[in-house]
Amino acid sequence: MRLFKKSLLSVTIASALAAPFSASQAANYGSFSANVALTSDYYFRGISQTDNDPAIQGGFDWAHDSGFYAGIWASNVAFGDTNLEADTYLGFSRDTSFGMNYDIGVIKYNYNNTDSSDDPVEFYGSLGYSFFTAGYAYSNDWFGSGDSSNYAYLGFDYGLPYEIGLTASVGYSWGDAYKVSDGKDYDYVDYKIGINKDYWGINWDLSYVDNNLNDTQCNNYGYADKNCDGRFIFTASKAIDDTMQPTDGLPIAANVALTTDYYFR
């Protein structure tokens, strides 16, 4: 998933296609970026997807000045014979004249060694204003269960003294898909709080991620106890925006990242 990727070390290389383009032509094509990451764990909504083992992740994105974007993002996972996740997504994001921003889109989670019809499609949207972002995602068939899944979250970003950033988020998962084998509703909450600061051109982030699932609930979801445990996540990341003029060619940027953990809310 293209959002909320955390990185320990990132090297970004910006380049351009050799053929020159006018500003209008470059705008028509949009811009491209790529990312790759090495992480000690891959978390999705508060639960490890790699059995607390490392993951190699990467993606490729296209964005247009109109607000449309599309991309693919992949990671190794640990679900028995299934060891690869490759997500494809398409969306539209814009800032408004009222100081707000919004993002709407659809994502398809794809896994190897599974029936593609069981891989879920999820529609998502978010609205941001000032320090806050609120979002919601919905799937009518969560991982081939035939049952619906809902996810809502609220995020908070605030600047502290000494140019330190404070981030926090809380999410809630619910729906028929969360009625597990014993017939109980296992709706759950995940949350994250952290601080970050730019230093030496790198963003340093320390966060704590957890959820309110107990061991029994985690087991009934099909996970080992440790996959639902809370933990601190340390991240150092660096990204460099392309600064070339539009007449030089199509902007292409790439970044390479290492991280101690990965979290997606």
Side-chain angles (χ1 to χ4, degrees), residues 92-159:
F92 183 83
S93 178
R94 294 285 287 181
D95 295 328
T96 72
S97 58
F98 305 103
M100 305 179 71
N101 59 79
Y102 63 89
D103 182 12
I104 56 174
V106 58
I107 180 170
K108 175 74 159 60
Y109 303 97
N110 305 284
Y111 298 86
N112 72 316
N113 294 324
T114 64
D115 188 329
S116 61
S117 62
D118 291 338
D119 297 338
V121 174
E122 190 173 54
F123 298 90
Y124 61 86
S126 67
L127 185 65
Y129 181 74
S130 184
F131 310 117
F132 298 94
T133 301
Y136 171 75
Y138 172 80
S139 174
N140 65 350
D141 186 3
W142 196 236
F143 288 97
S145 65
D147 295 322
S148 63
S149 168
N150 302 271
Y151 183 73
Y153 69 87
L154 179 66
F156 175 78
D157 296 274
Y158 184 74

Side-chain angles (χ1 to χ4, degrees), residues 13-22 25-26 29-32 60 62 242 244-253:
I13 303 172
S15 63
L17 294 180
F21 288 84
S22 68
Q25 286 176 313
Y29 280 98
S31 60
F32 298 86
F60 189 79
W62 167 84
D242 183 77
M244 48 172 263
Q245 297 299 316
T247 53
D248 293 336
L250 284 177
I252 296 180

Side-chain angles (χ1 to χ4, degrees), residues 64-250:
H64 192 269
D65 288 345
S66 64
F68 285 102
Y69 65 85
I72 182 171
W73 181 87
S75 174
N76 61 288
V77 294
F79 303 128
D81 294 333
T82 298
N83 53 27
L84 177 64
E85 173 186 345
D87 306 336
T88 50
Y89 45 88
L90 173 68
F92 183 83
S93 178
R94 294 285 287 181
D95 295 328
T96 72
S97 58
F98 305 103
M100 305 179 71
N101 59 79
Y102 63 89
D103 182 12
I104 56 174
V106 58
I107 180 170
K108 175 74 159 60
Y109 303 97
N110 305 284
Y111 298 86
N112 72 316
N113 294 324
T114 64
D115 188 329
S116 61
S117 62
D118 291 338
D119 297 338
V121 174
E122 190 173 54
F123 298 90
Y124 61 86
S126 67
L127 185 65
Y129 181 74
S130 184
F131 310 117
F132 298 94
T133 301
Y136 171 75
Y138 172 80
S139 174
N140 65 350
D141 186 3
W142 196 236
F143 288 97
S145 65
D147 295 322
S148 63
S149 168
N150 302 271
Y151 183 73
Y153 69 87
L154 179 66
F156 175 78
D157 296 274
Y158 184 74
L160 299 173
Y162 305 103
E163 298 182 340
I164 295 174
L166 171 67
T167 62
S169 65
V170 59
Y172 179 51
S173 299
W174 81 99
D176 291 341
Y178 297 94
K179 292 180 171 66
V180 294
S181 57
D182 63 0
K184 297 179 181 178
D185 289 338
Y186 281 172
D187 304 347
Y188 74 96
V189 175
D190 67 270
Y191 51 90
K192 171 193 171 187
I193 186 167
I195 56 173
N196 64 82
K197 180 177 174 60
D198 289 330
Y199 191 66
W200 291 343
I202 298 173
N203 182 261
W204 307 87
D205 185 291
L206 180 64
S207 297
Y208 181 78
V209 177
D210 204 352
N211 57 70
N212 68 342
L213 291 169
N214 59 40
D215 289 348
T216 299
Q217 293 169 330
C218 190
N219 293 157
N220 284 335
Y221 274 138
Y223 294 99
D225 299 350
K226 64 180 181 178
N227 292 344
C228 300
D229 290 344
R231 64 180 54 198
F232 282 97
I233 301 171
F234 175 71
T235 302
S237 62
K238 181 176 177 63
I240 301 175
D241 294 330
D242 183 77
T243 57
M244 48 172 263
Q245 297 299 316
T247 53
D248 293 336
L250 284 177

